[in-house]
Amino acid sequence: MEYTFHWRPVFRNLPDLLEAGLLTLEVAVEAMLVGIVLGLALAMIRMSGRRSISWFATSWVEIARNTPALLQLFFFGFGLGAFGIHLSPFWICLCALSFNNAGYLAENFRGGFQAVPDTQVKAARSLGMTYAQAYLRIVIPQVLRIVYHPMTNQMVWSVLMSSLGMLVGFRELTGETQFLASKTFRIFEYFLVTAVIYYVIVKFILAGSRVLSWRLFRY
Amino acid sequence: MIEVKDVHKAFGDLQVLKGVTLDVSNGEVISVIGASGSGKSTLLYCINGLEPIQSGQILVDGTDVHAKETNVNKLRTGLGMVFQQYNSFPHLTTLENVALAPRIVLKKSKDEAREIASKKLDHVGLGDKLEVYPNKLSGGQQQRLAIARALAMGPNYMLFDEVTSALDPELVGEVLDALRMLSDEGMTMILVTHEIGFARDVSDRVAYFHEGVIEEIGPPSQVILDPQSERTRKFLSAVR
Ligand SMILES: Nc1ncnc2c1ncn2[C@@H]1O[C@H](COP(=O)(O)OP(=O)(O)O)[C@@H](O)[C@H]1O
Ligand SMILES: [Mg+2]
């Protein structure tokens, strides 16, 4: 079997690919930010132990962690579509990724809060700190360190998972690659270059995370 | 002056304090001894308002600790507390551990807070550890850090809850020395301890706690050397 590589069409369209790569990064970062806020809220709700609302948080976490991400994406696409709610492909992807991130992060945060002994709060309060000060100055910095690496992993996962967006018509990096490849039939070349772009994005995130952790955590 | 008046405290159905009455005058050192589970820690937590009480009253310089209108955060700056667990804040250096509360609670400037902190740390012999993180400190050093941290708030009273019982034996001495120094300086202290010999040396009075009440209280020459209560006598002969 002979296969001759033709790189020219790929490189000609490289700017389009890189732009789609930025879109991937954008949706992943935004889904991460939303995921952190919602994940914190879910963790707090679950820790509050109030039955009336904690069932909701528990279901969210269970579904996010124990069903395929693709089905979660389809829910925000076709599922909501069946009820007449039509989101744009970008929003479908953003909602699904945020939903998934929040579910995983909620469990990480909950574990992080439980790992900080209650006596830390007691010690802080005995110095006259308010409850809010004790959390802000003493508890949360420690939780942040505990969840830092799981959060980095989730960020990477968020980037890779966004490639599913293609299946609801979102032209992020994978979707754009598919679009261009089908026009020129240089499928292998396109996906090879795209794989490299994903690889670089992920390595970039990991390196950035490591540098930041040196600055943040000196103990 | 700390006045504890007929305090009752329960955790759910478990009655832990069953009518405790105790006055601590300024400059006095009171040691509290007694079996584990008798409510000694709970009494300290109630005194600085970390635990609510069901009935009775606790006054610190006339202020009712558990009254709704009391600013308990302000009150606590006058009541230093050191716990059995080390409780250093692991993400802060030794200096930051001590300087944080003066800055955010007492609203001192950053420089002022650091100056207070380094002075207090020097006082407990940690002057050369200012930039070190707590995970590099021994248990004895961490307890001295906790003492400095409480002192930096300028308290009138210090509450110590078995501060040496988590320590390796060879580290107990350095912490007891710090306590002795404070008592020599005239600090008013309530000291929950298992170190009977130390309690005898530094205390003005010793209280023996039994199942949520003070069974016997008096000078160490009485409570430790010549206990009047049969229970006190039994406890002391068991721990010796
Ligand atoms: N936060 C709490 N919740 C429920 N029970 C508690 C709590 N703190 C202490 N207790 C119980 O109260 C009793 C007295 O405890 P404590 O004051 O710690 O005794 P001591 O310090 O004399 O060893 C024990 O039976 C203990 O189990
Ligand atoms: Mg205790």
Side-chain angles (χ1 to χ4, degrees):
Chain A
M1 200 176 98
E2 287 280 297
Y3 186 90
T4 338
F5 285 99
H6 288 284
W7 294 104
R8 187 159 306 142
V10 183
F11 286 127
R12 206 172 43 231
N13 286 313
L14 198 56
D16 287 349
L17 285 180
L18 292 178
E19 209 170 302
L22 280 183
L23 198 56
T24 285
L25 202 55
E26 184 194 330
V27 78
V29 167
E30 285 172 9
M32 192 66 190
L33 295 178
V34 177
I36 289 172
V37 173
L38 293 179
L40 259 178
L42 291 176
M44 301 243 183
I45 290 172
R46 289 192 81 181
M47 287 187 300
S48 79
R50 286 199 208 163
R51 282 279 169 76
S52 54
I53 45 174
S54 72
W55 69 266
F56 173 76
T58 304
S59 318
W60 182 322
V61 169
E62 288 292 312
I63 294 169
R65 290 163 56 96
N66 299 304
T67 64
L70 181 59
L71 294 192
Q72 295 167 26
L73 186 78
F74 282 174
F75 171 80
F76 285 98
F78 311 125
L80 291 185
F83 293 97
I85 304 170
H86 297 284
L87 302 177
S88 73
F90 175 85
W91 277 97
I92 295 171
C93 199
L94 181 59
C95 289
L97 289 185
S98 301
F99 175 82
N100 187 278
N101 285 342
Y104 276 92
L105 290 172
E107 278 304 87
N108 291 331
F109 290 148
R110 196 163 70 114
F113 277 106
Q114 281 168 351
V116 178
D118 186 42
T119 53
Q120 289 275 308
V121 176
K122 281 223 161 82
R125 305 259 5 228
S126 80
L127 293 167
M129 290 186 213
T130 63
Y131 201 70
Q133 284 175 327
Y135 260 79
L136 223 58
R137 301 291 190 149
I138 306 302
V139 178
I140 291 183
Q142 294 181 55
V143 172
L144 198 63
R145 163 145 201 190
I146 297 168
V147 301
Y148 190 77
H149 287 293
M151 254 164 69
T152 303
N153 290 340
Q154 191 64 31
M155 180 64 217
V156 168
W157 180 232
S158 186
V159 167
L160 299 181
M161 208 167 31
S162 69
S163 62
L164 295 173
M166 177 185 97
L167 297 165
V168 290
F170 181 33
R171 267 165 64 182
E172 38 62 66
L173 183 51
T174 305
E176 183 69 19
T177 307
Q178 168 75 7
F179 173 76
L180 294 172
S182 63
K183 279 205 310 196
T184 59
F185 302 106
R186 307 315 310 175
I187 294 173
F188 190 72
E189 289 87 335
Y190 266 109
F191 278 103
L192 208 61
V193 169
T194 294
V196 170
I197 297 176
Y198 273 114
Y199 185 85
V200 169
I201 292 177
V202 168
K203 283 293 166 185
F204 180 76
I205 291 169
L206 291 176
S209 154
R210 173 170 290 179
V211 169
L212 190 62
S213 81
W214 289 335
R215 285 199 63 90
L216 284 178
F217 312 120
R218 273 164 300 155
Y219 63 102
Chain B
M1 172 162 187
I2 299 177
E3 298 159 81
V4 179
K5 296 179 180 172
D6 194 27
V7 165
H8 288 74
K9 159 80 188 170
F11 292 105
D13 290 338
L14 180 69
Q15 284 291 332
V16 176
L17 301 181
K18 304 169 188 165
V20 176
T21 298
L22 175 69
D23 285 349
V24 185
S25 359
N26 288 357
E28 198 176 21
V29 176
I30 293 196
S31 289
V32 178
I33 60 175
S36 137
S38 55
K40 307 180 298 294
S41 301
T42 304
L43 175 64
L44 295 191
Y45 285 139
C46 291
I47 290 176
N48 78 356
L50 284 170
E51 286 287 351
I53 60 177
Q54 269 75 45
S55 68
Q57 203 180 34
I58 299 177
L59 303 177
V60 175
D61 295 331
T63 305
D64 184 340
V65 176
H66 297 89
K68 263 208 185 70
E69 63 275 14
T70 299
N71 179 346
V72 75
N73 296 319
K74 180 151 177 277
L75 184 113
R76 284 187 187 130
T77 62
L79 280 169
M81 178 150 181
V82 183
F83 302 78
Q84 180 174 351
Q85 308 88 348
Y86 304 149
N87 280 338
S88 317
F89 303 137
H91 57 301
L92 301 177
T93 62
T94 302
L95 185 69
E96 291 164 347
N97 256 274
V98 181
L100 178 63
R103 197 155 54 79
I104 69 174
V105 176
L106 301 178
K107 313 285 183 211
K108 306 268 188 205
S109 74
K110 197 167 179 177
D111 287 343
E112 215 180 337
R114 291 171 75 89
E115 178 152 344
I116 295 170
S118 70
K119 209 179 279 171
K120 296 301 175 190
L121 282 163
D122 210 33
H123 200 46
V124 297
L126 292 175
D128 57 341
K129 302 283 183 196
L130 301 186
E131 301 304 326
V132 167
Y133 283 90
N135 60 5
K136 296 281 189 305
L137 298 178
S138 72
Q141 290 169 331
Q142 292 202 52
Q143 284 304 54
R144 286 187 280 144
L145 163 57
I147 293 170
R149 196 167 67 181
L151 290 177
M153 305 305 285
N156 298 317
Y157 307 96
M158 287 288 290
L159 313 174
F160 294 96
D161 189 8
E162 295 193 32
V163 292
T164 57
S165 55
L167 295 178
D168 292 335
E170 73 271 19
L171 301 176
V172 168
E174 62 190 66
V175 176
L176 294 185
D177 287 346
L179 298 185
R180 201 186 304 268
M181 178 178 75
L182 282 183
S183 103
D184 289 346
E185 291 166 5
M187 176 63 77
T188 312
M189 322 204 289
I190 303 180
L191 194 67
V192 173
T193 185
H194 282 311
E195 303 283 338
I196 305 291
F198 181 72
R200 190 192 58 210
D201 290 352
V202 300
S203 312
D204 298 302
R205 285 188 297 158
V206 176
Y208 170 63
F209 231 71
H210 179 77
E211 293 180 1
V213 292
I214 294 176
E215 170 82 13
E216 181 168 355
I217 184 166
S221 56
Q222 174 203 320
V223 179
I224 293 179
L225 300 176
D226 183 22
Q228 305 298 299
S229 151
E230 187 54 38
R231 285 189 177 129
T232 315
R233 200 168 311 158
K234 257 200 182 132
F235 171 77
L236 286 169
S237 62
V239 297
R240 280 225 172 97

